[in-house]
Amino acid sequence: MEDLAALVATILVLLGGVALINILLAVLSRRKKLKPWIAMVFNALTGFAAIFGISISWALGIVPLMGLIVGSIILTWPNRKRR
């Protein structure tokens, strides 16, 4: 049983890492330090990770889902108009 708990904890940490990387790439894309298509592709991969996590358990899927939501908001937020 300890091995199963360690496996689930590892999966949760990896999904959390994917969510954080997604947010970081979205911010870098927003600041024009990264091409937008790279952040969008990783955002889609985070969505697939969220689907995978939710198919197992909501507790596993909520972490990448939050990263997906935040990353999507950052990527699609309109730019400020500069004078």
Side-chain angles (χ1 to χ4, degrees), residues 12 15-24 26-27 42-43 45-51 53-54 57-75:
L12 182 63
L15 290 176
V18 167
L20 287 176
I21 291 171
N22 183 37
I23 294 171
L24 176 70
V27 168
F42 202 82
N43 198 32
L45 293 175
T46 305
F48 291 134
I51 292 170
I54 290 172
S57 169
W58 273 97
L60 282 177
I62 197 70
V63 176
L65 184 63
M66 286 296 142
L68 175 70
I69 291 170
V70 171
S72 296
I73 289 172
I74 291 171
L75 285 173

Side-chain angles (χ1 to χ4, degrees), residues 25 28-30 32-41 75:
L25 289 178
L28 288 175
S29 172
R30 183 84 175 163
K32 307 285 189 222
K33 306 252 186 236
L34 186 71
K35 294 187 179 185
W37 67 269
I38 296 173
M40 289 177 196
V41 167
L75 285 173

Side-chain angles (χ1 to χ4, degrees), residues 29-32 74-82:
S29 172
R30 183 84 175 163
R31 293 186 178 181
K32 307 285 189 222
I74 291 171
L75 285 173
T76 59
W77 199 265
N79 290 330
R80 288 183 274 182
K81 292 185 179 180
R82 298 190 185 219

